[in-house]
């Protein structure tokens, strides 16, 4: 009698399937937690990129933006990531000094309010920092006015959060010789300092503070997603500090071609069209359909503040020390 062959055939098919799965290339992208949340841009971008790359795009969340740099500095050449997404211009000089990044090689027209020439870091969105409060409540009109008021705010830690670091640069840029005194005056207004943006914004929404350090674009979320016009960004007389968020290719990646494909995808319609209503920022390249209805209602700063990556790196330690001393009193 001939021996049954069914089990070996099934086993062989299983082995083939396992082999096919093992051959699927994996691209690991380090980013911040809110980017990969279910309401963030990560899920939609993952689906769109995987539809054209025949790969597995794996986002790994790590606290907030400034924590990405700390992790890279700790891991050094041992890092397993192929792309890092979520640094900003306050961090790119220090990131470049690690020697971990390669030129991105992407050439495209960007819709930024500043000229962009950095060969290593590619913008994916931008915006302005602002304090967000309730429309019917009293609003501060400047950083100094806020410091002189009884208003309560929640901010983020500049050592782990890019908004937190952005506020340090904002104060230092607007009041270069008075930053330490302003932080001392602001210390009474600060309810708490959170590791990241999500925790701070949640506390504000729970009514634990009058305002939260966020973005001029944050009210768009409430207006578009919730049909709620009760949140506003306070307009400050001294202007608002700009943030440009960037991605970089890790030089030692073993998925170089796939990383290049993803970097090019960042400025494509499939990525950029997702940004306004998931990351609630301005896209680096305006989508074909333009910005969503509601963005035209957002506050426009009277002045735009931004330090170069080199200048930001040069004053970071001093600004951090001023902040730390004021809050430790």
């Amino acid at each position: 009698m001939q021996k049954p062959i069914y089990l070996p055939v099934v086993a062989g098919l299983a082995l083939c399937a396992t082999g096919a799965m093992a051959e699927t290339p994996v691209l690991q992208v380090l980013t911040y937690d809110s980017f990969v949340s279910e309401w963030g841009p990560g899920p939609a971008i993952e689906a769109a990129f995987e539809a054209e790359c025949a790969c597995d795009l794996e986002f790994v969340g790590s606290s907030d933006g400034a924590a990405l740099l700390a992790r890279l500095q700790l891991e050094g050449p041992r890092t397993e990531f192929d792309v890092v997404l979520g640094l900003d211009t306050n961090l790119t000089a220090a990131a470049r000094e690690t020697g971990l990044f390669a030129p991105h090689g992407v050439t495209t027209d960007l819709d930024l309010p500043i000229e962009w020439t950095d060969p290593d870091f590619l913008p994916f969105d931008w915006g302005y920092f602002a304090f967000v409060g309730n429309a019917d409540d009293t609003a501060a009109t400047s950083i100094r006015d806020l410091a002189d008021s009884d208003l309560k705010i929640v901010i983020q830690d500049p050592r782990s959060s890019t908004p937190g670091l952005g506020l340090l640069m904002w104060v230092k840029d607007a009041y270069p010789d008075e930053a330490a005194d302003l932080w001392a005056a602001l210390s009474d207004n600060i309810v708490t300092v959170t590791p990241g943006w999500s925790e701070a914004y949640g506390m504000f929404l729970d009514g634990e503070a009058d305002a939260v350090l966020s973005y001029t674009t944050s009210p768009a979320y409430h207006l578009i997603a919730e049909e709620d016009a009760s949140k506003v960004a306070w307009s400050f007389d001294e202007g608002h500090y700009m943030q440009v968020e960037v991605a970089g290719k890790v030089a030692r990646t073993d998925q170089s071609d796939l990383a290049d494909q993803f970097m090019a995808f960042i400025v494509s319609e499939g990525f950029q069209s997702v940004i306004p209503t998931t990351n609630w920022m301005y896209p680096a390249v305006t989508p074909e359909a333009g910005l969503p209805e509601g963005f035209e209602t957002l506050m426009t700063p009277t002045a735009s503040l931004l330090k170069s990556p080199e200048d930001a790196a040069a004053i970071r330690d001093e600004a951090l020390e001023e902040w730390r001393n004021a809050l430790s009193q």
Side-chain angles (χ1 to χ4, degrees):
M1 183 187 302
Q2 187 176 8
K3 295 181 179 180
I5 62 171
Y6 305 107
L7 289 178
V9 169
V10 171
L13 290 173
L15 287 172
C16 290
T18 302
M21 290 176 62
E23 292 171 3
T24 301
V26 178
L27 187 74
Q28 290 191 300
V29 177
L30 177 65
T31 188
Y32 46 81
D33 283 340
S34 62
F35 195 93
V36 299
S37 67
E38 61 179 344
W39 43 265
I45 289 171
E46 181 178 356
F49 185 64
E50 288 182 347
E52 63 180 59
C53 74
C55 71
D56 179 11
L57 174 58
E58 183 178 301
F59 283 118
V60 178
S62 182
S63 185
D64 213 327
L68 304 181
L69 176 60
R71 179 166 179 172
L72 290 172
Q73 290 171 326
L74 179 64
E75 294 179 351
R78 298 178 292 104
T79 187
E80 61 186 6
F81 298 105
D82 307 296
V83 172
V84 178
L85 187 151
L87 302 173
D88 68 10
T89 56
N90 293 324
L91 299 170
T92 51
R96 200 185 325 273
E97 288 181 357
T98 67
L100 294 177
F101 292 93
H104 55 72
V106 177
T107 302
T108 191
D109 292 329
L110 299 172
D111 295 318
L112 301 177
I114 58 172
E115 184 179 358
W116 192 266
T117 57
D118 194 318
D120 298 324
F121 297 101
L122 181 67
F124 65 89
D125 68 15
W126 65 278
Y128 295 99
F129 296 115
F131 283 93
V132 173
N134 294 300
D136 294 334
D137 293 346
T138 301
T141 58
S142 68
I143 295 174
R144 184 177 297 283
D145 183 44
L146 175 59
D148 291 341
S149 75
D150 294 326
L151 293 165
K152 298 303 180 183
I153 58 174
V154 183
I155 65 172
Q156 300 85 24
D157 193 322
R159 296 163 295 188
S160 57
S161 166
T162 53
L165 181 57
L167 180 58
L168 255 64
M169 296 298 162
W170 190 357
V171 172
K172 197 69 172 172
D173 198 10
Y175 302 94
D177 300 323
E178 305 169 62
D181 291 339
L182 269 173
W183 277 116
L186 279 167
S187 62
D188 290 340
N189 302 90
I190 299 170
V191 175
T192 193
V193 178
T194 63
W197 174 88
S198 297
E199 304 97 316
Y201 207 84
M203 290 184 66
F204 162 65
L205 293 180
D206 287 341
E208 297 184 45
D210 298 305
V212 59
L213 176 62
S214 192
Y215 297 89
T216 62
T217 47
S218 296
Y221 163 75
H222 301 284
L223 185 63
I224 297 172
E226 301 178 334
E227 298 183 349
D228 176 8
S230 68
K231 304 296 183 290
V232 296
W234 295 347
S235 177
F236 278 7
D237 295 340
E238 61 267 85
H240 291 249
Y241 197 87
M242 183 189 303
Q243 180 181 46
V244 181
E245 293 195 295
V246 301
K249 174 186 175 182
V250 176
R252 294 172 64 92
T253 174
D254 58 2
Q255 296 289 348
S256 183
D257 290 345
L258 195 55
D260 288 341
Q261 186 179 353
F262 182 74
M263 294 299 290
F265 180 75
I266 284 174
V267 293
S268 73
E269 182 76 8
F271 188 111
Q272 291 293 304
S273 63
V274 173
I275 291 297
T277 56
T278 55
N279 224 32
W280 302 99
M281 295 280 278
Y282 293 106
V285 179
T286 305
E288 294 177 2
L291 294 174
E293 184 178 353
F295 268 67
E296 77 282 356
T297 69
L298 299 177
M299 183 268 287
T300 301
T302 56
S304 176
L305 309 177
L306 182 66
K307 289 192 172 297
S308 71
E310 294 74 23
D311 288 346
I315 68 167
R316 183 183 178 189
D317 289 345
E318 178 185 351
L320 186 60
E321 190 64 21
E322 291 169 345
W323 172 85
R324 187 188 292 114
N325 287 339
L327 269 63
S328 64
Q329 300 301 317

